[in-house]
């Protein structure tokens, strides 16, 4: 069984025409992620983008944080040595829920694996059992109410929504 974030992700860098490093980010889909950057006041300065691909999201995120700290892109705040997480109700709530969310993700992987094994034992093909396992994890996460974005993306990847 594959872990949901066990897929390639990129560290991307946005540059001005004169070569100034403007921004460093990471994403599974840099094209999609850059669409949201277009709302930023600095977007008109962007001339080109480079991408450095990593086998997993965690590796890309670590490389992104290292690059932000070392390369000092003009518009990165988060990850820079001077960044301080804002003290807002949303941030406090995320911090309070982080441990519970991680435990629920781990439980969803166990639910998925259990469903997959049960279907294999009933004679299902590997692909069919994998899909059933993924659906079980989606249903589990959906029931928690804490993973709306992840549930939506997982359903999309399985072809359940457009």
């Amino acid at each position: 069984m594959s872990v949901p974030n066990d897929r390639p992700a990129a560290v991307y860098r946005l540059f001005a025409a004169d070569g100034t490093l403007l921004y460093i980010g990471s994403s599974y889909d840099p094209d999609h992620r850059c669409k949201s950057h277009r709302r930023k006041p600095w977007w008109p300065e962007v001339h080109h983008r480079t991408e450095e691909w990593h086998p997993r999201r965690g590796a890309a995120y670590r490389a992104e944080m290292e690059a932000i700290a070392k390369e000092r892109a003009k518009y990165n705040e988060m990850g820079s040595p001077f960044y301080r997480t804002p003290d807002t109700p949303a941030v406090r709530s995320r911090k309070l829920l982080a441990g519970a969310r991680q435990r629920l993700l781990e439980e969803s992987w166990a639910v998925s694996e259990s469903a997959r094994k049960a279907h294999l034992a009933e004679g299902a093909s590997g692909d069919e059992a994998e899909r059933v396992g993924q659906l079980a994890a989606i249903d589990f996460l959906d029931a928690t109410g804490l993973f709306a974005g992840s549930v939506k993306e997982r359903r999309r990847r399985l072809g359940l929504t457009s």
Side-chain angles (χ1 to χ4, degrees):
M1 182 182 97
S2 66
V3 176
N5 67 356
D6 191 19
R7 59 188 174 129
V11 172
Y12 59 90
R13 289 169 176 82
L14 303 176
F15 293 90
D18 68 0
T20 300
L21 178 59
L22 300 173
Y23 188 83
I24 302 169
S26 65
S27 176
Y28 292 119
D29 183 349
D31 289 335
H32 180 73
R33 180 68 180 104
C34 284
K35 286 179 186 176
S36 67
H37 291 315
R38 290 188 177 123
R39 293 186 299 254
K40 303 284 185 180
W42 48 261
W43 181 257
E45 294 178 53
V46 175
H47 179 263
H48 68 278
R49 176 181 84 209
T50 64
E51 297 173 5
E52 169 188 308
W53 285 88
H54 297 266
R56 284 174 297 290
R57 179 70 174 97
Y61 182 74
R62 283 187 299 279
E64 173 194 15
M65 291 295 106
E66 289 173 12
I68 289 170
K70 290 178 184 172
E71 298 173 36
R72 308 284 174 117
K74 185 175 179 180
Y75 294 112
N76 279 98
E77 292 176 15
M78 190 171 143
S80 74
F82 311 106
Y83 180 77
R84 297 294 174 257
T85 303
D87 185 23
T88 65
V91 169
R92 287 191 298 272
S93 176
R94 273 197 307 275
K95 285 180 181 179
L96 286 172
L97 292 173
R101 288 174 56 92
Q102 182 59 39
R103 285 189 298 280
L104 289 168
L105 280 171
E106 290 168 4
E107 287 180 37
S108 78
W109 299 332
V111 164
S112 177
E113 186 66 6
S114 177
R116 187 185 70 77
K117 286 179 179 177
H119 275 71
L120 283 173
E122 293 172 3
S125 71
D127 287 346
E128 184 179 329
E130 179 68 22
R131 184 174 174 83
V132 166
Q134 290 176 7
L135 289 170
I138 290 169
D139 289 343
F140 177 89
L141 292 173
D142 193 27
T144 71
L146 295 173
F147 298 92
S150 178
V151 165
K152 182 179 178 182
E153 173 60 18
R154 289 174 187 214
R155 285 185 173 142
R156 186 196 62 74
R157 284 196 317 251
L158 285 178
L160 301 174
T161 61
S162 54

PDB file of all heavy atoms in Angstrom, residues 3 49 79 102 113-114 120 131-132 146 159:
ATOM      1  N   VAL A   3       1.631   5.221   0.783  1.00  0.00           N
ATOM      2  CA  VAL A   3       1.244   6.311   1.656  1.00  0.00           C
ATOM      3  C   VAL A   3       0.790   7.455   0.767  1.00  0.00           C
ATOM      4  O   VAL A   3       1.379   7.708  -0.279  1.00  0.00           O
ATOM      5  CB  VAL A   3       2.445   6.717   2.535  1.00  0.00           C
ATOM      6  CG1 VAL A   3       2.101   7.913   3.398  1.00  0.00           C
ATOM      7  CG2 VAL A   3       2.893   5.541   3.372  1.00  0.00           C
ATOM      8  N   ARG A  49      10.716  30.037 -14.213  1.00  0.00           N
ATOM      9  CA  ARG A  49      10.692  29.110 -13.088  1.00  0.00           C
ATOM     10  C   ARG A  49      11.603  27.932 -13.377  1.00  0.00           C
ATOM     11  O   ARG A  49      11.687  27.464 -14.512  1.00  0.00           O
ATOM     12  CB  ARG A  49       9.259  28.613 -12.885  1.00  0.00           C
ATOM     13  CG  ARG A  49       9.116  27.571 -11.795  1.00  0.00           C
ATOM     14  CD  ARG A  49       7.686  27.099 -11.639  1.00  0.00           C
ATOM     15  NE  ARG A  49       7.391  26.047 -12.599  1.00  0.00           N
ATOM     16  CZ  ARG A  49       6.200  25.802 -13.112  1.00  0.00           C
ATOM     17  NH1 ARG A  49       5.163  26.543 -12.788  1.00  0.00           N
ATOM     18  NH2 ARG A  49       6.024  24.832 -13.969  1.00  0.00           N
ATOM     19  N   GLY A  79       9.827  30.117   6.646  1.00  0.00           N
ATOM     20  CA  GLY A  79      11.050  29.346   6.456  1.00  0.00           C
ATOM     21  C   GLY A  79      12.313  30.185   6.529  1.00  0.00           C
ATOM     22  O   GLY A  79      13.398  29.645   6.657  1.00  0.00           O
ATOM     23  N   GLN A 102      -2.472  13.658  12.862  1.00  0.00           N
ATOM     24  CA  GLN A 102      -1.470  12.651  12.522  1.00  0.00           C
ATOM     25  C   GLN A 102      -1.945  11.262  12.938  1.00  0.00           C
ATOM     26  O   GLN A 102      -1.797  10.299  12.193  1.00  0.00           O
ATOM     27  CB  GLN A 102      -0.120  12.978  13.177  1.00  0.00           C
ATOM     28  CG  GLN A 102       0.978  11.996  12.813  1.00  0.00           C
ATOM     29  CD  GLN A 102       1.243  11.921  11.314  1.00  0.00           C
ATOM     30  OE1 GLN A 102       1.217  12.918  10.618  1.00  0.00           O
ATOM     31  NE2 GLN A 102       1.486  10.730  10.806  1.00  0.00           N
ATOM     32  N   GLU A 113      -5.269  -0.663   4.892  1.00  0.00           N
ATOM     33  CA  GLU A 113      -4.543  -1.938   4.807  1.00  0.00           C
ATOM     34  C   GLU A 113      -5.433  -3.109   5.209  1.00  0.00           C
ATOM     35  O   GLU A 113      -5.417  -4.167   4.582  1.00  0.00           O
ATOM     36  CB  GLU A 113      -3.284  -1.880   5.680  1.00  0.00           C
ATOM     37  CG  GLU A 113      -2.391  -3.080   5.560  1.00  0.00           C
ATOM     38  CD  GLU A 113      -1.747  -3.238   4.189  1.00  0.00           C
ATOM     39  OE1 GLU A 113      -1.887  -2.361   3.317  1.00  0.00           O
ATOM     40  OE2 GLU A 113      -1.104  -4.280   3.975  1.00  0.00           O
ATOM     41  N   SER A 114      -6.241  -2.925   6.227  1.00  0.00           N
ATOM     42  CA  SER A 114      -7.156  -3.979   6.682  1.00  0.00           C
ATOM     43  C   SER A 114      -8.188  -4.307   5.593  1.00  0.00           C
ATOM     44  O   SER A 114      -8.447  -5.482   5.300  1.00  0.00           O
ATOM     45  CB  SER A 114      -7.851  -3.522   7.959  1.00  0.00           C
ATOM     46  OG  SER A 114      -8.777  -4.475   8.386  1.00  0.00           O
ATOM     47  N   LEU A 120      -8.343  -9.048  -0.602  1.00  0.00           N
ATOM     48  CA  LEU A 120      -7.431 -10.029  -1.200  1.00  0.00           C
ATOM     49  C   LEU A 120      -7.785 -11.434  -0.726  1.00  0.00           C
ATOM     50  O   LEU A 120      -7.793 -12.382  -1.527  1.00  0.00           O
ATOM     51  CB  LEU A 120      -5.980  -9.710  -0.836  1.00  0.00           C
ATOM     52  CG  LEU A 120      -5.317  -8.573  -1.594  1.00  0.00           C
ATOM     53  CD1 LEU A 120      -3.947  -8.258  -0.998  1.00  0.00           C
ATOM     54  CD2 LEU A 120      -5.200  -8.893  -3.085  1.00  0.00           C
ATOM     55  N   ARG A 131      -7.902  -0.447  -4.473  1.00  0.00           N
ATOM     56  CA  ARG A 131      -8.943   0.581  -4.616  1.00  0.00           C
ATOM     57  C   ARG A 131      -9.912   0.543  -3.437  1.00  0.00           C
ATOM     58  O   ARG A 131     -10.276   1.582  -2.893  1.00  0.00           O
ATOM     59  CB  ARG A 131      -9.685   0.407  -5.940  1.00  0.00           C
ATOM     60  CG  ARG A 131     -10.719   1.485  -6.196  1.00  0.00           C
ATOM     61  CD  ARG A 131     -11.333   1.346  -7.581  1.00  0.00           C
ATOM     62  NE  ARG A 131     -12.410   2.264  -7.801  1.00  0.00           N
ATOM     63  CZ  ARG A 131     -12.276   3.528  -8.172  1.00  0.00           C
ATOM     64  NH1 ARG A 131     -11.083   4.030  -8.381  1.00  0.00           N
ATOM     65  NH2 ARG A 131     -13.328   4.299  -8.356  1.00  0.00           N
ATOM     66  N   VAL A 132     -10.306  -0.650  -3.025  1.00  0.00           N
ATOM     67  CA  VAL A 132     -11.205  -0.774  -1.872  1.00  0.00           C
ATOM     68  C   VAL A 132     -10.534  -0.208  -0.617  1.00  0.00           C
ATOM     69  O   VAL A 132     -11.164   0.484   0.180  1.00  0.00           O
ATOM     70  CB  VAL A 132     -11.639  -2.251  -1.674  1.00  0.00           C
ATOM     71  CG1 VAL A 132     -12.286  -2.460  -0.318  1.00  0.00           C
ATOM     72  CG2 VAL A 132     -12.585  -2.667  -2.788  1.00  0.00           C
ATOM     73  N   LEU A 146     -12.005  16.511   9.402  1.00  0.00           N
ATOM     74  CA  LEU A 146     -10.777  17.299   9.513  1.00  0.00           C
ATOM     75  C   LEU A 146      -9.932  17.302   8.247  1.00  0.00           C
ATOM     76  O   LEU A 146      -8.873  17.936   8.222  1.00  0.00           O
ATOM     77  CB  LEU A 146      -9.912  16.760  10.662  1.00  0.00           C
ATOM     78  CG  LEU A 146     -10.497  16.901  12.058  1.00  0.00           C
ATOM     79  CD1 LEU A 146      -9.620  16.187  13.074  1.00  0.00           C
ATOM     80  CD2 LEU A 146     -10.643  18.369  12.424  1.00  0.00           C
ATOM     81  N   GLY A 159     -10.870   9.062  -9.553  1.00  0.00           N
ATOM     82  CA  GLY A 159     -11.841   9.238 -10.628  1.00  0.00           C
ATOM     83  C   GLY A 159     -13.272   9.301 -10.141  1.00  0.00           C
ATOM     84  O   GLY A 159     -14.208   9.084 -10.901  1.00  0.00           O
TER      85      GLY A 159
END
